[in-house]
Amino acid sequence: MAVGKEIRTKIKSVKSTQKITRAMEMVAASKMRKAQERMAAARPYAQKIRNVIGHLAHAHPEYKHPYLQDREVKAGVGFIIISSDRGLCGGLNSNLFKATVRAMREWNDKGVKIELCTIGAKANGFFKRLGGNVVAQISHVGDAPQISNLIGVVKVMLDAYDEGRIDRLFVVYNELVNTMTQRPNVEQLLPVHGVDDPQLKHHWDYIYEPDAKDVLNGLLMRYIESLVYQGVVENLSSEQAARMVAMKSASDNAGDLIGELQLVYNKARQAAITQELSEIVAGAAAV
Amino acid sequence: MAMTVHVDIVSAEEEIFSGLASMVFAPGVMGELGIMPRHTPLLTRLKPGEVRLINTEGEEESFYVSGGVLEIQPHTITILSDTAHRAKDLDEAAALEAKHQAEQKLQDQSSEFDYAQAQTELAEAMAQLQAIQKMRKKLGR
């Protein structure tokens, strides 16, 4: 029957789209679980290293590391922006970029320079188009990021801090509140602050081997790297969660669309049958 | 029971050991360290090597670390193990690589951005084609 050929093709095409979105939803769901496990696995290290830094803040070392000293912002600020590599995850990346641009504008108004470091293909593309000063970038760290992937980009920013080109370093990533909500988060990395352990109030200091500067350097570098790593794994879980939700609503929408189209198709077919019948009846009556 | 100290061995990607031990041996950069409970606070870097500890049952357990940082507090010992082999020149190389990538991406206009543009152009062309086909159908009738 020739009726509703276009509608039938349309339904078929929507159905195949729905198949794809549903598959993507399920893939994202399973990847999200793994990403969350990875997040949980990374937590003990972050906590322990934060403890150590907290102890350190209360020790009275003969050497004060520049990362632990607050300094005035004169030259510039640095941002490490963590985004996903792929799209189709709702407004995840654009929300993140909006938050970043807002934070950047604040510093820009104060007349300081901004250096950017992007992790993930989306951030790289966006800030290149925006004309930002991207000094380091890495993308496609994959579903199982390793700290060794991040050493390079973090070092570029730490070097900039050491050389005095930037006086503050921030990291921007999506925080996973729950599966439905992800919040863009701007966190200060340098100078290090906000670590406190009230148990160690008395006057004491570590024995450093080989010397304070060397040990602190290594420790603080690892601390910053671990924070960035945490950001990366958290952003990864956020990405999968956002994609799962986006794909779920896409599949639902496709379902609605199919329903509507099916209704239109059925009506058209029914109308054609009725018309044919009445034609036959009219024809028979005429004879 | 012998005196014990709480030991945590963690790497950035997982927790390796957490529990009590009566003695810990670790490869510090200045030489092997043997640590008993109530050791004075100490902070040192570790060389790649073996961390051994004697657990509460008196058995010896050993773990491999590829460097890291060791913190001693009188009642806790924390070993922050590295997952990557690192050396100054290796870190330097990684940093250079990251910078290089950023510069290359800036010059290379044919990557990600062009891809997006091409996609929109393709979508436009497809829409035009569809319109032409529709018109042709109408005229053909």
Side-chain angles (χ1 to χ4, degrees):
Chain A
M1 200 166 55
V3 163
K5 178 100 175 18
E6 289 96 339
I7 299 180
R8 266 213 314 269
T9 6
K10 187 83 200 161
I11 288 177
K12 215 184 267 170
S13 103
V14 175
K15 261 188 190 152
S16 62
T17 309
Q18 191 189 28
K19 253 182 221 158
I20 294 168
T21 56
R22 195 169 284 153
M24 281 181 83
E25 180 194 334
M26 285 190 285
V27 169
S30 85
K31 275 190 180 170
M32 184 181 74
R33 220 195 54 238
K34 278 200 200 119
Q36 276 174 340
E37 275 165 19
R38 206 163 282 124
M39 232 168 89
R43 209 162 278 149
Y45 185 86
Q47 206 184 352
K48 290 289 176 275
I49 199 163
R50 191 169 300 139
N51 281 350
V52 176
I53 302 272
H55 293 163
L56 204 62
H58 284 278
H60 297 78
E62 69 271 36
Y63 169 75
K64 271 274 179 200
H65 199 278
Y67 293 175
L68 293 169
Q69 281 167 329
D70 214 358
R71 66 190 199 200
E72 221 178 307
V73 180
K74 284 188 212 128
V77 292
F79 285 93
I80 297 178
I81 300 141
I82 302 168
S83 80
S84 69
D85 280 328
R86 299 200 188 93
L88 289 183
C89 47
L92 188 79
N93 287 320
S94 46
N95 286 343
L96 185 79
F97 297 154
K98 249 185 249 164
T100 314
V101 169
R102 210 178 303 132
M104 279 165 65
R105 190 172 298 141
E106 252 170 56
W107 288 107
N108 216 3
D109 290 345
K110 289 179 192 161
V112 294
K113 274 196 214 124
I114 293 169
E115 293 198 3
L116 299 173
C117 157
T118 59
I119 299 174
K122 288 283 162 188
N124 187 49
F126 179 82
F127 287 100
K128 202 172 77 185
R129 246 173 295 155
L130 200 72
N133 179 20
V134 181
V135 292
Q137 75 99 187
I138 182 172
S139 58
H140 303 287
V141 285
D143 290 329
Q146 282 174 338
I147 246 182
S148 52
N149 301 127
L150 306 172
I151 290 173
V153 283
V154 173
K155 186 161 169 52
V156 172
M157 298 314 272
L158 293 184
D159 283 349
Y161 188 86
D162 290 340
E163 287 160 17
R165 280 188 286 131
I166 59 174
D167 300 306
R168 288 264 191 288
L169 180 60
F170 298 93
V171 64
V172 195
Y173 63 95
N174 277 299
E175 184 190 351
L176 183 79
V177 182
N178 55 43
T179 316
M180 300 299 290
T181 1
Q182 297 85 32
R183 195 185 309 133
N185 199 5
V186 184
E187 226 176 74
Q188 183 172 330
L189 290 180
L190 287 177
V192 174
H193 70 91
V195 271
D196 236 7
D197 190 346
Q199 285 180 338
L200 295 154
K201 278 286 180 234
H202 58 283
H203 194 95
W204 62 280
D205 194 12
Y206 286 109
I207 302 169
Y208 298 94
E209 278 185 15
D211 62 85
K213 190 179 168 190
D214 194 50
V215 175
L216 290 187
N217 246 337
L219 183 67
L220 287 165
M221 202 164 78
R222 281 176 181 82
Y223 178 60
I224 301 299
E225 279 162 9
S226 95
L227 285 179
V228 174
Y229 177 77
Q230 278 268 301
V232 169
V233 287
E234 181 132 9
N235 192 68
L236 201 70
S237 328
S238 300
E239 179 196 346
Q240 299 302 348
R243 178 165 302 131
M244 193 181 83
V245 173
M247 286 303 116
K248 185 169 170 38
S249 68
S251 309
D252 291 351
N253 286 345
D256 290 348
L257 203 60
I258 290 170
E260 275 167 35
L261 286 172
Q262 195 74 53
L263 201 67
V264 174
Y265 172 71
N266 287 347
K267 271 185 186 159
R269 195 187 55 157
Q270 201 58 53
I273 292 169
T274 315
Q275 193 187 358
E276 221 165 285
L277 270 177
S278 63
E279 269 166 21
I280 293 167
V281 171
V287 171
Chain B
M1 204 179 99
M3 256 202 308
T4 54
V5 56
H6 192 88
V7 184
D8 287 299
I9 306 177
V10 290
S11 82
E13 283 144 31
E14 63 185 333
E15 184 166 54
I16 297 164
F17 177 85
S18 176
L20 295 171
S22 55
M23 189 152 182
V24 180
F25 305 92
V29 277
M30 305 284 283
E32 183 93 359
L33 293 159
I35 309 144
M36 305 273 279
R38 300 214 184 153
H39 193 287
T40 186
L42 180 141
L43 205 57
T44 182
R45 282 197 295 117
L46 294 178
K47 281 192 300 197
E50 198 183 33
V51 173
R52 284 176 297 138
L53 55 87
I54 296 167
N55 65 17
T56 42
E57 270 114 59
E59 288 158 11
E60 198 175 280
E61 286 186 61
S62 71
F63 306 92
Y64 175 78
V65 293
S66 55
V69 177
L70 167 74
E71 190 224 18
I72 304 172
Q73 288 285 344
H75 299 288
T76 53
I77 297 173
T78 310
I79 295 171
L80 305 162
S81 157
D82 287 341
T83 42
H85 287 277
R86 22 199 332 174
K88 207 161 188 310
D89 46 338
L90 278 179
D91 285 10
E92 211 77 58
L96 274 178
E97 168 72 23
K99 265 190 201 165
H100 182 69
Q101 265 198 30
E103 281 156 18
Q104 199 182 25
K105 276 276 162 81
L106 273 177
Q107 283 168 1
D108 179 18
Q109 291 293 330
S110 66
S111 58
E112 214 74 36
F113 179 53
D114 263 16
Y115 176 68
Q117 202 175 10
Q119 245 180 351
T120 50
E121 270 169 23
L122 179 72
E124 260 171 45
M126 293 257 285
Q128 277 173 0
L129 250 167
Q130 265 179 354
I132 291 169
Q133 270 171 354
K134 263 186 197 159
M135 272 165 66
R136 210 173 264 167
K137 241 189 206 169
K138 264 189 192 165
L139 289 176
R141 232 183 252 168

